[in-house]
Amino acid sequence: MAKNYFNYADPIRAVCRDMVFRLPVFSRIRMEHVAVSLIRTRTREMYGVFASMTPLRFEGGQLRGKRGGRLVEMPLLYDKEHRPILYVLSVYIPRFVNLPIREKIETLIHELYHISPSFDGSIRTFGGRYFIHGASQKEYNRKVSALSRQWLSSDPRPELWDFLRYDFKTLCERYGGLSGETVRIPPLKVIG
């Protein structure tokens, strides 16, 4: 008899879709072009990455750009309906699942905030040396915290995000395990 594991990627996508709908800063994001990938961590330790956002285009939505002084090309990915994937949101389990609920919400918003405001497949950048989070990681975290409070105060349906209350052990006891697609991102192709 096949096990009926809990597909963790689908409700993550639903929560992100609701965040995008309720938070004006994300109004240009279209979740149908963002793949949600589950990555299993080797240990259950709580240090390390909880989630990541991988852009699949360079600045301005370009497929070609420079990395390490070389001209490279981004891989093209498509979903099951043949829609182009512009970003991959990876959730690291069980590490993410074992976070307190507030930190799970902040982690998802943190990753969505990395998406370029133009939603062209590139990453949101801040000028200067620390272009990913800006000159102040604390300021980035304050922005994420404020967006998390804004989303929660918009009264999202509890049944939408109730699964975030449970840790890995509880979900495994309830469903026998977690499932969800793992999106393999092909390496950049060096073209010059």
Side-chain angles (χ1 to χ4, degrees), residues 54-66:
T54 304
L56 295 179
R57 302 291 187 274
F58 290 101
E59 187 175 346
Q62 298 297 309
L63 285 172
R64 293 182 175 181
K66 293 271 187 171

PDB file of all heavy atoms in Angstrom, residues 54-66:
ATOM      1  N   THR A  54      16.536  31.110  -6.000  1.00  0.00           N
ATOM      2  CA  THR A  54      17.493  31.083  -7.103  1.00  0.00           C
ATOM      3  C   THR A  54      16.880  31.766  -8.319  1.00  0.00           C
ATOM      4  O   THR A  54      15.860  31.296  -8.847  1.00  0.00           O
ATOM      5  CB  THR A  54      17.868  29.630  -7.462  1.00  0.00           C
ATOM      6  OG1 THR A  54      18.363  28.981  -6.290  1.00  0.00           O
ATOM      7  CG2 THR A  54      18.913  29.589  -8.563  1.00  0.00           C
ATOM      8  N   PRO A  55      17.473  32.872  -8.768  1.00  0.00           N
ATOM      9  CA  PRO A  55      16.990  33.523  -9.988  1.00  0.00           C
ATOM     10  C   PRO A  55      17.505  32.762 -11.203  1.00  0.00           C
ATOM     11  O   PRO A  55      18.624  32.235 -11.191  1.00  0.00           O
ATOM     12  CB  PRO A  55      17.618  34.919  -9.908  1.00  0.00           C
ATOM     13  CG  PRO A  55      18.893  34.709  -9.152  1.00  0.00           C
ATOM     14  CD  PRO A  55      18.613  33.593  -8.178  1.00  0.00           C
ATOM     15  N   LEU A  56      16.709  32.692 -12.249  1.00  0.00           N
ATOM     16  CA  LEU A  56      17.111  31.973 -13.454  1.00  0.00           C
ATOM     17  C   LEU A  56      17.317  32.901 -14.645  1.00  0.00           C
ATOM     18  O   LEU A  56      17.285  32.469 -15.803  1.00  0.00           O
ATOM     19  CB  LEU A  56      16.098  30.875 -13.783  1.00  0.00           C
ATOM     20  CG  LEU A  56      16.019  29.765 -12.738  1.00  0.00           C
ATOM     21  CD1 LEU A  56      14.969  28.735 -13.127  1.00  0.00           C
ATOM     22  CD2 LEU A  56      17.372  29.094 -12.526  1.00  0.00           C
ATOM     23  N   ARG A  57      17.532  34.176 -14.345  1.00  0.00           N
ATOM     24  CA  ARG A  57      17.880  35.174 -15.361  1.00  0.00           C
ATOM     25  C   ARG A  57      18.880  36.151 -14.739  1.00  0.00           C
ATOM     26  O   ARG A  57      18.950  36.299 -13.530  1.00  0.00           O
ATOM     27  CB  ARG A  57      16.658  35.963 -15.841  1.00  0.00           C
ATOM     28  CG  ARG A  57      15.522  35.142 -16.430  1.00  0.00           C
ATOM     29  CD  ARG A  57      15.885  34.517 -17.770  1.00  0.00           C
ATOM     30  NE  ARG A  57      14.750  33.872 -18.388  1.00  0.00           N
ATOM     31  CZ  ARG A  57      14.362  32.623 -18.164  1.00  0.00           C
ATOM     32  NH1 ARG A  57      15.014  31.870 -17.311  1.00  0.00           N
ATOM     33  NH2 ARG A  57      13.329  32.110 -18.785  1.00  0.00           N
ATOM     34  N   PHE A  58      19.610  36.825 -15.604  1.00  0.00           N
ATOM     35  CA  PHE A  58      20.502  37.888 -15.169  1.00  0.00           C
ATOM     36  C   PHE A  58      19.727  39.204 -15.144  1.00  0.00           C
ATOM     37  O   PHE A  58      18.536  39.245 -15.495  1.00  0.00           O
ATOM     38  CB  PHE A  58      21.708  37.989 -16.110  1.00  0.00           C
ATOM     39  CG  PHE A  58      22.654  36.820 -15.985  1.00  0.00           C
ATOM     40  CD1 PHE A  58      22.642  35.792 -16.905  1.00  0.00           C
ATOM     41  CD2 PHE A  58      23.559  36.759 -14.934  1.00  0.00           C
ATOM     42  CE1 PHE A  58      23.513  34.719 -16.794  1.00  0.00           C
ATOM     43  CE2 PHE A  58      24.431  35.693 -14.800  1.00  0.00           C
ATOM     44  CZ  PHE A  58      24.411  34.668 -15.741  1.00  0.00           C
ATOM     45  N   GLU A  59      20.412  40.261 -14.757  1.00  0.00           N
ATOM     46  CA  GLU A  59      19.785  41.578 -14.681  1.00  0.00           C
ATOM     47  C   GLU A  59      19.051  41.893 -15.984  1.00  0.00           C
ATOM     48  O   GLU A  59      19.523  41.602 -17.076  1.00  0.00           O
ATOM     49  CB  GLU A  59      20.865  42.640 -14.423  1.00  0.00           C
ATOM     50  CG  GLU A  59      20.294  44.006 -14.165  1.00  0.00           C
ATOM     51  CD  GLU A  59      21.355  45.016 -13.798  1.00  0.00           C
ATOM     52  OE1 GLU A  59      22.496  44.627 -13.481  1.00  0.00           O
ATOM     53  OE2 GLU A  59      21.034  46.208 -13.821  1.00  0.00           O
ATOM     54  N   GLY A  60      17.860  42.457 -15.834  1.00  0.00           N
ATOM     55  CA  GLY A  60      17.044  42.807 -16.996  1.00  0.00           C
ATOM     56  C   GLY A  60      16.399  41.617 -17.676  1.00  0.00           C
ATOM     57  O   GLY A  60      15.885  41.732 -18.786  1.00  0.00           O
ATOM     58  N   GLY A  61      16.424  40.457 -17.031  1.00  0.00           N
ATOM     59  CA  GLY A  61      15.808  39.273 -17.608  1.00  0.00           C
ATOM     60  C   GLY A  61      16.648  38.581 -18.670  1.00  0.00           C
ATOM     61  O   GLY A  61      16.161  37.699 -19.379  1.00  0.00           O
ATOM     62  N   GLN A  62      17.915  38.952 -18.768  1.00  0.00           N
ATOM     63  CA  GLN A  62      18.801  38.386 -19.784  1.00  0.00           C
ATOM     64  C   GLN A  62      19.179  36.947 -19.451  1.00  0.00           C
ATOM     65  O   GLN A  62      19.371  36.599 -18.289  1.00  0.00           O
ATOM     66  CB  GLN A  62      20.077  39.233 -19.913  1.00  0.00           C
ATOM     67  CG  GLN A  62      19.823  40.653 -20.367  1.00  0.00           C
ATOM     68  CD  GLN A  62      19.217  40.701 -21.764  1.00  0.00           C
ATOM     69  OE1 GLN A  62      19.731  40.088 -22.711  1.00  0.00           O
ATOM     70  NE2 GLN A  62      18.104  41.412 -21.894  1.00  0.00           N
ATOM     71  N   LEU A  63      19.309  36.132 -20.482  1.00  0.00           N
ATOM     72  CA  LEU A  63      19.744  34.747 -20.302  1.00  0.00           C
ATOM     73  C   LEU A  63      21.261  34.634 -20.219  1.00  0.00           C
ATOM     74  O   LEU A  63      21.778  33.665 -19.693  1.00  0.00           O
ATOM     75  CB  LEU A  63      19.242  33.869 -21.448  1.00  0.00           C
ATOM     76  CG  LEU A  63      17.763  33.515 -21.401  1.00  0.00           C
ATOM     77  CD1 LEU A  63      17.333  32.823 -22.684  1.00  0.00           C
ATOM     78  CD2 LEU A  63      17.464  32.638 -20.202  1.00  0.00           C
ATOM     79  N   ARG A  64      21.958  35.618 -20.739  1.00  0.00           N
ATOM     80  CA  ARG A  64      23.421  35.595 -20.725  1.00  0.00           C
ATOM     81  C   ARG A  64      23.961  36.711 -19.845  1.00  0.00           C
ATOM     82  O   ARG A  64      23.401  37.806 -19.798  1.00  0.00           O
ATOM     83  CB  ARG A  64      23.977  35.745 -22.135  1.00  0.00           C
ATOM     84  CG  ARG A  64      23.664  34.550 -22.992  1.00  0.00           C
ATOM     85  CD  ARG A  64      24.248  34.683 -24.363  1.00  0.00           C
ATOM     86  NE  ARG A  64      24.025  33.442 -25.109  1.00  0.00           N
ATOM     87  CZ  ARG A  64      24.441  33.252 -26.335  1.00  0.00           C
ATOM     88  NH1 ARG A  64      25.109  34.190 -26.968  1.00  0.00           N
ATOM     89  NH2 ARG A  64      24.201  32.104 -26.934  1.00  0.00           N
ATOM     90  N   GLY A  65      25.056  36.389 -19.175  1.00  0.00           N
ATOM     91  CA  GLY A  65      25.695  37.368 -18.305  1.00  0.00           C
ATOM     92  C   GLY A  65      27.080  36.894 -17.917  1.00  0.00           C
ATOM     93  O   GLY A  65      27.531  35.829 -18.349  1.00  0.00           O
ATOM     94  N   LYS A  66      27.744  37.669 -17.082  1.00  0.00           N
ATOM     95  CA  LYS A  66      29.110  37.349 -16.653  1.00  0.00           C
ATOM     96  C   LYS A  66      29.105  36.739 -15.264  1.00  0.00           C
ATOM     97  O   LYS A  66      28.389  37.189 -14.377  1.00  0.00           O
ATOM     98  CB  LYS A  66      29.960  38.618 -16.623  1.00  0.00           C
ATOM     99  CG  LYS A  66      30.206  39.231 -17.973  1.00  0.00           C
ATOM    100  CD  LYS A  66      31.438  38.637 -18.582  1.00  0.00           C
ATOM    101  CE  LYS A  66      31.772  39.394 -19.865  1.00  0.00           C
ATOM    102  NZ  LYS A  66      33.037  39.032 -20.411  1.00  0.00           N
TER     103      LYS A  66
END
